[in-house]
Amino acid sequence: MNIVPSIMATKKSGPKTLRSTVTKIYLLTASALEESNITHSEHIPEWIIGRIGEEKEVSILGSEGPIIFKVIEEVKAEEQHYNLIADSSYSLAREALGSLVGQITKERSKKVEVNFYGLDQEMITGAIVGLELALYRFKEELSFGAISFFNDGKKVTKSIVDSALSIAQSINTARHLVNLPANILNPVTYANAVKKYFAKSTTMKVTVYDEKKLAKENCGLILSVGQASATPPRIVHLKYRPTGAKGKPTAIVGKGITFDCGGLNVKSGAGMGVMKKDMGGSATVMGFATWLEKSGVKKKVDLYLALAENSINELASRPGDIYTSRNGLKVEIGNTDAEGRLALADAMDIAITQKEKPEVLIDFATLTGAAKVSMGDFVTSMFANDDELADKLLKASQKNGDLSWRMPLYRPYYKGFKSNFADMNNMSKVKGGSIGAALFLEKFIGDTKWAHFDIFGWTSGFRPSLAQEGGSGQGVETLIGYFQN
């Protein structure tokens, strides 16, 4: 199973599928339109230039093929919300070029030239990322020719193109994993594929905790989640240690419920429909791992995938059952559909008790429907126990157009997890589901600085760059931005 999609912006289709035309894209800022003389092989009448300024997107037919002009909106700092949920120059450029992919592929030209005017390196990177994201398809081949990039008439350097492709392909990896069906991607095949992918890596070492090792480690919670499945749970540890890395490691944990039927508290048919995406947090972590391995980042990072399938048979956990976590807390099952927090809890405890104790722990999980209700599809609910860590992550999410908003860890709500028979219940009786889930996880982090992202992980149609229905790769750009700083 190939877990990384083979989509490349420089991909070429067979000659029979392409037309002998050249599609030329001009992506420019409004100021560049006013101040610069656009170099072009053909004369562009003044009235066309005027239309570009008024309409923001104009298509004309040149002697070699179609010519498309697209003006990027100027970045506007917002006084409200500390500018943390405003568009960035990177995200505006990403969506601007991403929105043109439909026209590019429709033309099926043998060559595509993308010309940037007035864009800085960050915007050029964003634009190429948007192009690559919008080209991704799960099942079909897109027909387009060789693509080249020019900035103010000069060819964009290979390092900039490669950097952008690395970002986009890591996001597409996360999307592709979410899009894989649960009969192909289960805890066992997932763990094996990750191990195979990094088998020859010099910076990433993979360790798999199978059901025997999980039992030996007393990981009673994740074992309880997967005990009704034909494919037993796994925790996958990816240890990134490049030459020259110093300091304490950062731990990143992803929820990987490869399918969630709800267990004995079975979901409705509609609620179960896209539950192959319940491993979206692990997909975020895995997508980021593919970028990290090639990034050259000189930091120690430990990544964990908490993998299980929440299924039903005579061995399924029941409401009222009590299981012991790796850190010794006894948890009563109030609802078998609150399983993601159980899988995460044992993985988080493994993360914080390693010989090299992490300074920071970050987790990503498609954890609650309440987060989607409060924030919608496009903005992630983020919780943190440290203000400095929260600020860094929020700024990274805004800069990279992967928006998050900090939610409160209102600890009085933890009383909702009271159990008469165990240390805690896995289901709170207090409203505020996303807050409650975060408070549950907080019991398994010790004194570590921690941030929790309750993601949706699925496309909403809001972003032109995410043309393929399915996984969105939410969270990958936030992590990349955080580690680039």
Side-chain angles (χ1 to χ4, degrees):
M1 177 179 61
N2 181 19
I3 59 175
V4 181
S6 56
I7 305 297
M8 296 291 290
T10 53
K11 172 183 162 188
K12 299 178 182 179
S13 295
K16 293 182 180 179
T17 66
L18 299 179
R19 298 171 179 154
S20 57
T21 56
V22 179
T23 295
K24 296 183 179 180
I25 309 293
Y26 285 81
L27 195 64
L28 61 161
T29 62
S31 58
L33 180 65
E34 295 174 2
E35 300 170 5
S36 303
N37 293 319
I38 301 173
T39 303
H40 198 278
S41 59
E42 303 179 51
H43 174 69
I44 306 298
E46 285 296 323
W47 67 272
I48 293 290
I49 300 295
R51 277 188 61 197
I52 299 169
E54 294 172 2
E55 300 175 24
K56 306 302 180 185
E57 182 178 324
V58 174
S59 300
I60 63 174
L61 184 61
S63 60
E64 296 180 287
I67 304 170
I68 305 170
F69 295 90
K70 179 85 172 183
V71 178
I72 300 177
E73 297 179 21
E74 302 288 346
V75 174
K76 297 178 181 178
E78 295 185 4
E79 295 182 1
Q80 60 180 345
H81 299 112
Y82 311 100
N83 202 48
L84 290 173
I85 56 171
D87 289 320
S88 65
S89 58
Y90 169 94
S91 66
L92 286 171
R94 180 188 66 199
E95 301 312 314
L97 191 52
S99 69
L100 301 180
V101 164
Q103 296 180 60
I104 295 172
T105 55
K106 182 180 179 181
E107 293 297 337
R108 294 189 288 113
S109 294
K110 65 179 180 180
K111 289 184 181 180
V112 178
E113 292 182 7
V114 181
N115 300 274
F116 304 117
Y117 284 90
L119 277 65
D120 59 21
Q121 182 173 326
E122 191 171 287
M123 296 178 76
I124 291 171
T125 299
I128 297 172
V129 168
L131 175 68
E132 180 78 345
L133 294 182
L135 285 170
Y136 166 74
R137 294 294 184 276
F138 181 75
K139 66 177 183 178
E140 64 193 69
E141 291 276 329
L142 293 178
S143 295
F144 59 96
I147 298 179
S148 52
F149 303 96
F150 299 89
N151 182 30
D152 293 330
K154 298 179 181 179
K155 196 163 186 178
V156 175
T157 63
K158 185 177 184 297
S159 62
I160 293 176
V161 175
D162 288 347
S163 175
L165 290 178
S166 179
I167 294 169
Q169 288 160 8
S170 67
I171 300 166
N172 282 343
T173 296
R175 297 169 70 192
H176 194 68
L177 283 167
V178 171
N179 292 340
L180 288 170
N183 64 316
I184 293 176
L185 190 73
N186 60 55
V188 176
T189 60
Y190 196 166
N192 291 343
V194 173
K195 194 165 186 178
K196 181 179 179 181
Y197 180 81
F198 290 110
K200 297 181 180 179
S201 175
T202 58
T203 59
M204 194 80 74
K205 178 184 176 183
V206 178
T207 301
V208 176
Y209 292 64
D210 63 13
E211 66 272 30
K212 293 181 180 179
K213 189 168 184 178
L214 289 173
K216 187 176 180 180
E217 290 284 337
N218 299 314
C219 294
L221 298 188
I222 192 171
L223 285 169
S224 76
V225 174
Q227 65 191 29
S229 172
T231 51
R234 296 286 187 267
I235 290 178
V236 182
H237 176 197
L238 298 87
K239 187 174 183 178
Y240 175 73
R241 293 296 187 273
T243 302
K246 298 179 181 179
K248 294 183 178 180
T250 297
I252 306 173
V253 182
K255 172 189 169 186
I257 305 300
T258 56
F259 193 82
D260 179 20
C261 73
L264 291 180
N265 291 111
V266 63
K267 293 179 183 290
S268 66
M272 203 188 302
V274 293
M275 278 300 101
K276 68 177 185 178
K277 83 173 185 68
D278 210 22
M279 39 62 66
S282 70
T284 295
V285 176
M286 181 57 194
F288 170 70
T290 64
W291 175 87
L292 183 65
E293 186 209 14
K294 303 171 185 176
S295 67
V297 168
K298 300 297 184 184
K299 298 178 181 179
K300 298 176 181 179
V301 187
D302 290 292
L303 307 108
Y304 299 85
L305 313 179
L307 310 179
E309 181 182 9
N310 191 20
S311 192
I312 301 174
N313 69 8
E314 69 277 12
L315 300 177
S317 66
R318 296 155 291 226
D321 285 356
I322 296 174
Y323 298 97
T324 304
S325 66
R326 187 176 183 273
N327 75 352
L329 287 174
K330 295 185 182 299
V331 179
E332 180 185 6
I333 305 302
N335 190 317
T336 61
D337 196 23
E339 84 299 326
R341 63 198 67 181
L342 301 177
L344 283 171
D346 281 336
M348 291 165 72
D349 189 64
I350 288 174
I352 67 168
T353 56
Q354 292 291 306
K355 186 176 181 180
E356 287 188 282
K357 180 178 170 59
E359 182 177 23
V360 169
L361 171 64
I362 306 170
D363 77 82
F364 289 83
T366 53
L367 205 59
T368 68
K372 179 188 174 184
V373 170
S374 60
M375 289 294 172
D377 301 356
F378 190 61
V379 181
T380 300
S381 295
M382 190 269 281
F383 300 81
N385 66 357
D386 182 85
D387 291 341
E388 183 180 357
L389 173 62
D391 289 345
K392 287 181 179 178
L393 287 165
L394 287 172
K395 287 175 182 176
S397 73
Q398 187 274 330
K399 184 178 180 181
N400 284 32
D402 187 23
L403 302 180
S404 300
W405 188 250
R406 190 179 183 185
M407 300 287 279
L409 281 168
Y410 187 61
R411 293 184 177 87
Y413 283 177
Y414 181 72
K415 65 184 179 183
F417 289 103
K418 184 179 183 298
S419 169
N420 293 321
F421 308 101
D423 295 312
M424 59 196 299
N425 203 293
N426 79 322
M427 194 68 184
S428 175
K429 297 180 178 67
V430 176
K431 292 181 179 179
S434 61
I435 298 174
L439 292 172
F440 181 94
L441 294 179
E442 192 178 26
K443 295 300 177 182
F444 299 90
I445 62 165
D447 58 357
T448 311
K449 294 178 182 178
W450 164 68
H452 160 60
F453 288 81
D454 195 336
I455 67 173
F456 181 52
W458 197 254
T459 55
S460 61
F462 186 88
R463 283 174 47 181
S465 63
L466 300 181
Q468 166 70 61
E469 181 181 351
S472 65
Q474 196 170 21
V476 176
E477 284 166 299
T478 294
L479 280 173
I480 290 173
Y482 176 76
F483 279 89
Q484 282 178 330
N485 293 334

